[in-house]
Amino acid sequence: MIIAIDGPAGVGKSTVAKLLAARLGYLYLDTGALYRAVAWKALQSGIRPTDREQVTTLLPTTSIHMQFQHGAMQVLVDGLDVTGDLRTPEVTTAASIVSAFPAVREWLLPIQRQIGQRGSVVAEGRDIGTKVFPSAPFKFFLDADATVRVARRHRELVAAGRGVTAETTSRDLSDRDQRDRTRSVDPLVPAGDARFIDTSALSPDQVVAQMIAAVSTGS
Ligand code: DC
């Protein structure tokens, strides 16, 4: 049983997906962390994230594993736990850039599907319902007003101690949106059979309640 949650940055996907997974006793799979891990490796190797050829060359000699313990997820790159290094602004931008490369997407696909085989997974990303798990029985696509998404992301960054302005946050988010929605492979689009939820005026608990209602009634 897989529950797919897709949507743009700042829409509250991670919060909601984590809550939903905890309530149902499912595994929470944050697929963005895998793209971030590839970006981290590129930066660590001195490769510019925009250099498609070099990033692609890196893949065969890279290993990425996810470990799940007590509901938390760790990401190992070449055996090293890099979980704490994946949410810096540099990695965030680089992840958005490398995620547009078809070779990167192709390479990460079996890793995601293998985790899905464990069953009982809430998977969150951009192409979960369209590409990674197209036959997931429950698919949700979350969206929210751009101003709400910027405000949420800005609050998160400030809470994490990052001194960014609302303007910078807004520009980064819209650049990322543009890249995620317009890339040629697996762009961010709702699956035809996804249930759409506008989270602009909803709390995470309210979104999760809608999801649980949908899952328990099988609709
Ligand atoms: O969800 P996130 O912000 O951690 O994702 C980081 C980047 O990875 C995001 O800019 C788009 C990309 N991504 C993707 O292309 N497909 C996914 N399933 C998940 C993330």
Side-chain angles (χ1 to χ4, degrees), residues 2-21 27-36 66 68 73 87 105 112 115 121-129 132-133 138 140 142 153 176 188 211:
I2 290 178
I3 300 176
I5 303 180
D6 289 301
V11 83
K13 277 191 317 286
S14 305
T15 309
V16 160
K18 263 185 225 158
L19 265 176
L20 182 66
L27 204 72
Y28 162 59
L29 171 58
D30 166 13
T31 62
L34 294 168
Y35 291 89
R36 288 172 181 270
M66 277 186 158
F68 300 91
M73 194 187 78
R87 308 212 71 87
R105 306 201 68 82
Q112 297 170 78
I115 296 168
V121 173
V122 175
E124 171 230 315
R126 305 291 191 287
D127 60 343
I128 306 302
V132 182
F133 300 119
F138 297 101
F140 299 95
L142 308 189
R153 181 44 53 95
R176 214 139 76 85
L188 171 67
M211 291 174 161

Side-chain angles (χ1 to χ4, degrees), residues 1 24 137-138 140 195 209-219:
M1 164 75 158
L24 298 175
F138 297 101
F140 299 95
R195 173 184 280 254
Q210 284 195 21
M211 291 174 161
I212 288 182
V215 170
S216 52
T217 58
S219 62

